[in-house]
Every structure is written in C-alpha cells, then in structure tokens.
Amino acid sequence: MVEPALLSTAQMGRLAPVSLASPCPRIPRAHIARRPGRCAQCRTDLGCSSGPLSRPVSQLPQKNPLRACPAERSHSRVSSAESLSLDGFWMEVEWIQQRDELREEDGSGGEGRPPEEGETESQWLQDTGLSDLLGGLGLDSHHRGLLSTLTQTQVAAVRRRLDIYARSARRRPKAPVRDVRDIFGGFKAGEMPSENGDSGMKWTPLSSGSPKSPPAAEPEGPPAPAGMEHAFHMDSAYSEQAALLLQRGRQPPGGTCAWSKGSLPKFRIPKGRLGLTRIGDLSSQDLKKIAALALIELTALCDVLGLDLKRSKAGKQKATETRLFGVSLEALLEADRKALPSTQVPLVLQALLSCLEKRGLDMEGILRVPGSQARVKGLEQKLERDFYTGLFSWDKVHHNDASDLLKRFIRELPAPLLTTEYLPAFAVVPNIPDLRQRLQALHLLILILPEPNRNALKALLEFLRKVVAQEQSNKMTLWNVSTVMAPNLFLHRGQPPKLLKGREKQLAEGAAEVVQMMVHYQDLLWMVSSFLVAQVRNLNDSSSRRPQLCDAGLKTWLRRTHADRDKAGDGPEATPTVAKIQVAWLIKDTLEVPLTPSTKVAHVLRQFTGRLSPGLQGQEGNEDKDNLLPRSRLRKSADIVLCEVGGNLSEHRLDPDAYLLDLYRANPYGEWVIKQSPT
C-alpha cells in the first residue's frame, strides 16, 4: 500500500555527476515517402463535417434510449477549433515516421493478434479468477464467495462469457463444458451491502424472469449550471446505474449533449461515512481482487451500454540487448530495485520527467517542438551506456531533446503503456456518448492495469498536468498536450492500429480525448470505488480463513483490541464504547478513543499527535524531554496515518474524514493501527 513516489531532485542529481559532452551537430532529415491514404489523406480531412461516425455494428446496440442525442449534434465530440488543432496529432505521427520508427510487423513486441473463437472468454474468466468454472469440478468456497458478491449486471456478464465459451467449445472436440445453470442455479438471492451506506444491492438468478433494478444511485435530474461541480457516485456499481437509467428510459444527467461545448466539467465524489479510498491506500493482495472485480464490472457496463469490449492477445516479446529503451517496465523495476528497493516507477522515466520539470515546463511548445534527431540518437546511446554508472549528466540536455527521449521511451516499450490486452478497450471509451459513463469505463480500465503500468502512467499524467498548468508561458493547452501525447500512447512503436479505411480522423479525436480525460480527471481515476471495496470486504468475509497481514512484524505483537465483542456476540449491543488504537511507529502502545457516531479518523490522529507532543505549538525553543517522537517528525500531520489491518481487508489506509463507528461495523474483526505514512 505504497504510493509511487518519484525521487527528489537531489537524488536524481547523484545519478549524474559528470557533464555531457558537446551536442552533436544537426543533420538534415531524410525525406520519407508517406504512404498514400494515411497522414496526407487524413490531414486533408481535418475539419470536415459529415454524417455520424462510422462504427462497427457490433460495437453499438440497435436501439438504446441512453445513446440518443439531439439530431443537430455534430458527429464530432470536440469543438470545431479543437478539431482543427488535431494538426498536432498528425504532426507527431509524421515526426515518428521521420525517425524511421515505422516498422514492418514482425510478430514481436506488443502487437496483439486477434484471439481465436472462445479464447477471449477463456482469458477473461482466467483474469477474473473464474477459470475453474470451465471444468467439471464443483464450486469451491472461493468461487462461491466471489459469485455471491456480484451484482445482478455483473452476474449477467459472467453468464454471457460462460455461454459464449460453451458454444465455441462444443464446436471443438474437447472435454465437455459445464452448463451455466449448474453454476448459478443453486444460488439464492443475496444482498451486497454498499461500502458507504446501509442500503444494499440484490441480485437473483437471471433465469427467473425480469430482474428488479438494484438501488443504484438516483439520477440527479437536469445538469448543474456551467461552472458547478457534478456528482460522480462511486457507492453503487456503474453498470447498475446504467441499467437503472435504461430501464426508466432516461437520458444520463448532463451527458455529452450538454457538455460538448466549452471546457470539461468538474466532478466531485460524494463522501460517505467510510470516506474515500485511493489506489495507494490498499494492499497489493486486495488490489488484485479489485482488478478482477473491476474487469467484471467493466464488462457488465459495456454489456449494458451495448459496446463490444475488444481485447487483444499479447504477442511474444523478443529479448533485447538494450538496458533502458525497449525494455519492459517489470525488467526495469527489477534492475532499479537492486539499488533502491522501494522504487515504484523506473528510474530512467523519473529522470526524464525530472529533467523536463526542471527546465522545460515554461518553454513554449514543450512536447510539441521536436529536438535534434542526431542529438537524440546520441543521448539515447549515452543513456544506455552511462545511466546506471552515474556518469550521465542532464545539465546540458536540451528540453526538446528530453521531450523526444520521453516520448521515444514510451513508444519503445515492448508492450504499450496501456497494455496490449486493453489498448483496444481504451480506444472504445470515446464511443460512449455520455461523459460520465466514459469516465466510469476509463476509471475501471485504470484499476485493471498492472501495477507497474499504472504507476508509470500516474507519473506521466502528473507531469502532463504540470505542463498544462504553465499554459500561459508554454502555450500548451490541455488539448494541445493531449493531441501530441496520444500518438505515443496509442500508436505503439509507430504502428497504427488496424482500422477501417476512412476512420483515421475518428482515431485521432478518440485517442486525444482519452488522454485529455486522463490528464484532467486523474485525481478521480486513481480512486477506488466504494462498491468495489465493499465487494472485496464481502469476498474476504466469505473466505474460510482471515486474510494475511501485510506487515509480518505486526503478527508478533498485534492483539485483538476489542476482546469483549467476541463474548457479547455480533449484535448492536456488542459495539464497544471505547476504541483501542495500536501504535506501530517507533513505540508500541495503545491509544484509547471514545467510539461515538461523531468520532473521525482525524480526531484520532490529532489526539495521538497531541499526546506525544503536548504544547508543541509556540514552543519552538523548548525541548520536551517527555516527548516520545522527534519534534521534526510531528510537524506534518500527513506523515501519520491510521490503518485498518486484518478482518475483511488485508490493510487499508483510512480517510481522515471516515467515521470510526461505521468502520467498526464494516470490519468488526479488524485492528486499527497508527503508522508512519510511506510517502
């Protein structure tokens, strides 16, 4: 449960003690003959206004009231000015071509191949932890627990994949496949309590007639006036929200039609009594379960919206002789952790971002203006040779050259940063007309990404937001940054995706829009939906054994603090009046806090700080000999966090605005531990 932290400027400086040699002279670029019908044709199409976007019939439902917009709506999701500014996208593509990076396909690296019939469903069931359902064995406790936590739309998504796989398997001479009725027929209607409320979601076997809609978030009516914040509900499943709107035949509140003109709206996440959970607040064990549930939920959402969730199968990666460029994130992290065990983002990526932040944020045209092709090639060679020896210096690296190196590093990854498997799914997101539902799908995709990819993407997006914040000086708007970076994220190794002829403009707009949303809404996207946290709690509760604690050292001394609850039972009368908080930082002590409906996590942290350093404020010159913690360690309250450990979550860093009594009811067998923040 460690947030990916970048190295400080001083730490980066220690990696580069020696100055760089004189830059290589600029050489003329070779003329690259462009393929007819690609960039040249696309550039002539910029700004054209024709009919609706051409999409495969399989990607859209035939009739769906949610997806209907006024007839006068333009086919483009961006304004005419932004559509014209797609020049940045095509100019970036041309620069990539001029650097001879457009390769013939050789089957190596991250280019995926279309999966065979039934292969997608089989891989999907494996990724969601349900692959054993394909065999003839009975349901074990894990699968029963997982299935019992799913909502109605999520169960429908699982059933559909099992049905498709069964039909494809029967066409092949293989072992018999279990009928889905053997899997779901024995379940009774159950209830899944929400993370931040007393109401729950119910699901029933879908064969029992028309299902009832779950109590998803109630639509808010007309969109709020421009400039106001819009609620983004995470306490109920996104697919259930969409299904409820579909059943009622209502347009999603404040859809694309209301927001297609002007800037992107602001969203806020309503806080429940359990607070909000960020990705870095959960343990790796629970994040893996979150990813599996997010994949099920994404599939269910796409099913409700009538979208075909495409997936590619990763190709085999050839071994590389390089040490930095063209090396997988996992291999880079493995090498970096030999020197810095806590590394979460590859050091070379951190160094590139640090160089650009130091000297390039306020430079006009940063990211858009290319560097010298000769200098960039020479810098790449020196990086490969000297980066890990500490002999490479960033002091004389031109900011435009560093920008080219950053984009080249992203393109040259053996697999796309957004992963080979789910890059097509990211490309499908712009096909959802409603902005809120696009954000929901994008949010689930972020949760599905492998941890190295997600951490690297987070570091990149944080840097891009800093670039946009300097728009007045660098002249790079959010849309400018998005159009320049989109080809580097979506055209892996310079290879354009396989599209129908004439859809290049749609690709450019869609890819830039996805990058735009990721930069603008990155704080929201790195949250974990409370309904997913509730599902993980239920999944762990249904397990026959308690989850293992993340910190092995805690096992030797952490005891149950609420001993009376085991004797008194599980009813309301068992709720203690005093919460005992364990301290696992420098000292091992117990802090008693009144457990009332108004007690928050922030109250506990303030009481702990005040107990260890009484009268700290206004006494800078006096040293309290009774203080248990150094004064410098207490000047930042953010350095201290309260976690729930064990019970139905492995480890969870708590929101300061969360209420203790509600946390106790959500996890009565967990422990509360004060720890030092890892960031």
Side-chain angles (χ1 to χ4, degrees):
M1 47 182 292
V2 179
E3 288 279 6
L6 302 184
L7 296 181
S8 64
T9 304
Q11 289 174 307
M12 281 299 171
R14 287 195 291 270
L15 293 176
V18 181
S19 300
L20 184 68
S22 301
C24 301
R26 179 182 295 271
I27 61 174
R29 296 186 177 93
H31 175 72
I32 304 296
R34 299 183 180 89
R35 302 180 187 179
R38 182 169 292 181
C39 292
Q41 179 63 36
C42 295
R43 291 175 63 82
T44 60
D45 292 338
L46 293 176
C48 64
S49 177
S50 57
L53 290 172
S54 58
R55 295 171 176 153
V57 177
S58 60
Q59 291 186 359
L60 297 175
Q62 295 298 322
K63 295 181 180 180
N64 190 336
L66 288 177
R67 303 173 62 78
C69 280
E72 62 272 13
R73 171 190 168 193
S74 170
H75 79 285
S76 176
R77 289 176 298 273
V78 297
S79 65
S80 58
E82 289 176 338
S83 180
L84 290 175
S85 72
L86 283 171
D87 280 339
F89 183 97
W90 301 116
M91 287 175 63
E92 185 68 20
V93 173
E94 289 182 359
W95 280 115
I96 295 173
Q97 290 178 334
Q98 288 183 4
R99 282 157 173 74
D100 293 331
E101 294 180 3
L102 191 61
R103 298 173 174 84
E104 295 297 330
E105 296 183 45
D106 56 3
S108 63
E111 286 298 318
R113 63 173 178 82
E116 298 178 359
E117 185 181 16
E119 192 175 9
T120 297
E121 289 70 30
S122 176
Q123 186 62 47
W124 186 90
L125 291 166
Q126 180 177 340
D127 291 345
T128 56
L130 295 171
S131 57
D132 289 346
L133 298 182
L134 301 177
L137 301 177
L139 292 177
D140 57 20
S141 59
H142 169 75
H143 292 108
R144 287 185 178 275
L146 177 57
L147 294 174
S148 66
T149 66
L150 301 184
T151 64
Q152 184 171 337
T153 50
Q154 292 172 349
V155 170
V158 176
R159 288 173 59 102
R160 182 181 180 189
R161 270 72 208 168
L162 284 170
D163 280 334
I164 295 174
Y165 179 84
R167 288 196 298 269
S168 64
R170 290 189 182 101
R171 300 189 188 102
R172 303 190 300 268
K174 289 188 176 182
V177 182
R178 299 179 63 194
D179 193 289
V180 292
R181 291 171 293 184
D182 298 335
I183 300 173
F184 294 99
F187 281 96
K188 297 180 180 179
E191 183 172 341
M192 194 276 287
S194 64
E195 172 75 354
N196 275 314
D198 297 330
S199 62
M201 298 181 183
K202 296 182 178 179
W203 65 267
T204 56
L206 297 188
S207 57
S208 58
S210 300
K212 296 182 179 180
S213 297
E218 187 70 20
E220 301 169 0
M228 294 186 62
E229 292 182 336
H230 305 262
F232 190 91
H233 292 284
M234 290 187 173
D235 55 348
S236 59
Y238 301 149
S239 58
E240 300 290 352
Q241 297 179 33
L244 183 59
L245 288 170
L246 179 62
Q247 187 182 42
R248 296 180 179 179
R250 297 176 62 177
Q251 179 77 15
T256 298
C257 304
W259 289 331
S260 59
K261 297 179 180 180
S263 60
L264 291 172
K266 296 181 180 180
F267 285 105
R268 60 174 177 84
I269 307 173
K271 271 195 178 183
R273 291 185 63 85
L274 295 183
L276 300 178
T277 301
R278 294 169 177 81
I279 290 178
D281 294 340
L282 293 172
S283 67
S284 57
Q285 296 99 312
D286 289 331
L287 278 178
K288 291 179 181 178
K289 298 173 184 178
I290 290 286
L293 290 166
L295 178 55
I296 296 176
E297 171 62 15
L298 174 65
T299 308
L301 176 63
C302 289
D303 286 351
V304 172
L305 297 178
L307 286 171
D308 188 7
L309 183 61
K310 296 295 185 180
R311 175 184 174 128
S312 295
K313 184 175 178 62
K316 294 183 179 180
Q317 298 180 7
K318 287 186 176 181
T320 177
E321 298 179 357
T322 59
R323 302 173 63 188
L324 298 175
F325 292 83
V327 179
S328 67
L329 295 173
E330 294 80 2
L332 288 171
L333 289 173
E334 182 181 357
D336 294 342
R337 286 168 181 167
K338 294 177 181 178
L340 296 173
S342 61
T343 303
Q344 300 293 318
V345 177
L347 295 179
V348 63
L349 178 58
Q350 294 189 45
L352 287 166
L353 296 176
S354 177
C355 176
L356 286 167
E357 287 182 21
K358 185 178 179 181
R359 293 192 300 277
L361 286 182
D362 58 349
M363 302 303 295
E364 183 172 348
I366 184 65
L367 296 176
R368 184 183 66 232
V369 179
S372 163
Q373 184 175 354
R375 289 201 309 262
V376 170
K377 187 175 181 180
L379 288 171
E380 181 181 347
Q381 294 173 350
K382 291 183 179 181
L383 273 171
E384 291 284 357
R385 184 180 66 246
D386 299 335
F387 180 75
Y388 283 115
T389 63
L391 299 179
F392 185 87
S393 174
W394 296 91
D395 293 339
K396 295 183 180 180
V397 177
H398 194 276
H399 59 273
N400 289 336
D401 295 339
S403 171
D404 273 7
L405 285 171
L406 171 65
K407 293 184 287 187
R408 183 174 178 84
F409 173 82
I410 295 172
R411 289 194 306 272
E412 287 301 299
L413 289 171
L417 185 58
L418 302 180
T419 72
T420 301
E421 294 85 352
Y422 296 107
L423 186 61
F426 277 93
V428 166
V429 168
N431 292 343
I432 304 174
D434 176 57
L435 176 59
R436 181 181 280 105
Q437 291 174 341
R438 287 205 297 274
L439 268 177
Q440 291 172 346
L442 192 57
H443 181 215
L444 294 170
L445 281 168
I446 295 295
L447 294 175
I448 295 170
L449 288 177
E451 184 177 2
N453 298 67
R454 188 170 57 237
N455 289 342
L457 179 63
K458 185 175 189 293
L460 175 64
L461 295 179
E462 288 175 346
F463 164 73
L464 297 180
R465 179 163 58 183
K466 294 176 183 178
V467 173
V468 175
Q470 300 293 327
E471 174 188 345
Q472 294 298 325
S473 55
N474 60 32
K475 311 301 181 185
M476 292 296 290
T477 65
L478 174 59
W479 184 251
N480 293 148
V481 171
S482 303
T483 55
V484 169
M485 292 305 299
N488 299 282
L489 290 169
F490 281 84
L491 307 185
H492 180 243
R493 297 202 168 190
Q495 289 288 349
K498 302 173 179 61
L499 295 172
L500 297 177
K501 187 176 181 180
R503 293 183 60 191
E504 294 89 349
K505 183 170 181 287
Q506 180 185 349
L507 162 68
E509 286 185 356
E513 182 183 346
V514 170
V515 177
Q516 181 187 34
M517 287 191 295
M518 288 195 296
V519 175
H520 188 73
Y521 295 114
Q522 57 185 280
D523 291 336
L524 181 152
L525 296 176
W526 259 260
M527 292 288 178
V528 180
S529 301
S530 55
F531 74 87
L532 290 174
V533 178
Q535 287 183 301
V536 172
R537 289 187 187 274
N538 277 357
L539 178 58
N540 290 335
D541 271 334
S542 64
S543 177
S544 58
R545 60 181 179 85
R546 290 185 60 186
Q548 297 294 320
L549 302 182
C550 290
D551 187 353
L554 290 176
K555 298 179 184 179
T556 61
W557 65 274
L558 185 58
R559 301 185 183 91
R560 191 176 308 282
T561 58
H562 312 300
D564 57 336
R565 63 193 172 193
D566 288 335
K567 301 178 181 179
D570 296 328
E573 67 278 6
T575 303
T577 58
V578 175
K580 295 183 179 180
I581 313 297
Q582 301 288 344
V583 181
W585 179 31
L586 295 182
I587 62 172
K588 294 181 179 179
D589 197 3
T590 301
L591 179 70
E592 294 189 356
V593 178
L595 192 59
T596 66
S598 60
T599 305
K600 290 185 177 182
V601 170
H603 300 155
V604 176
L605 298 178
R606 282 199 297 268
Q607 180 174 335
F608 173 73
T609 304
R611 173 185 174 183
L612 296 180
S613 183
L616 177 63
Q617 295 182 354
Q619 301 182 15
E620 292 294 332
N622 299 327
E623 188 69 26
D624 189 351
K625 297 181 180 180
D626 295 330
N627 282 355
L628 299 178
L629 294 179
R631 179 174 300 171
S632 60
R633 305 290 288 275
L634 293 173
R635 290 176 181 173
K636 294 183 179 180
S637 59
D639 291 341
I640 306 172
V641 296
L642 180 62
C643 302
E644 59 174 321
V645 181
N648 53 32
L649 285 179
S650 296
E651 187 167 347
H652 177 207
R653 183 168 33 186
L654 299 173
D655 187 338
D657 292 329
Y659 290 86
L660 281 188
L661 185 58
D662 296 83
L663 288 166
Y664 173 83
R665 291 169 177 167
N667 189 9
Y669 296 104
E671 312 287 355
W672 291 327
V673 184
I674 292 178
K675 304 177 69 175
Q676 184 181 16
S677 175
T679 57

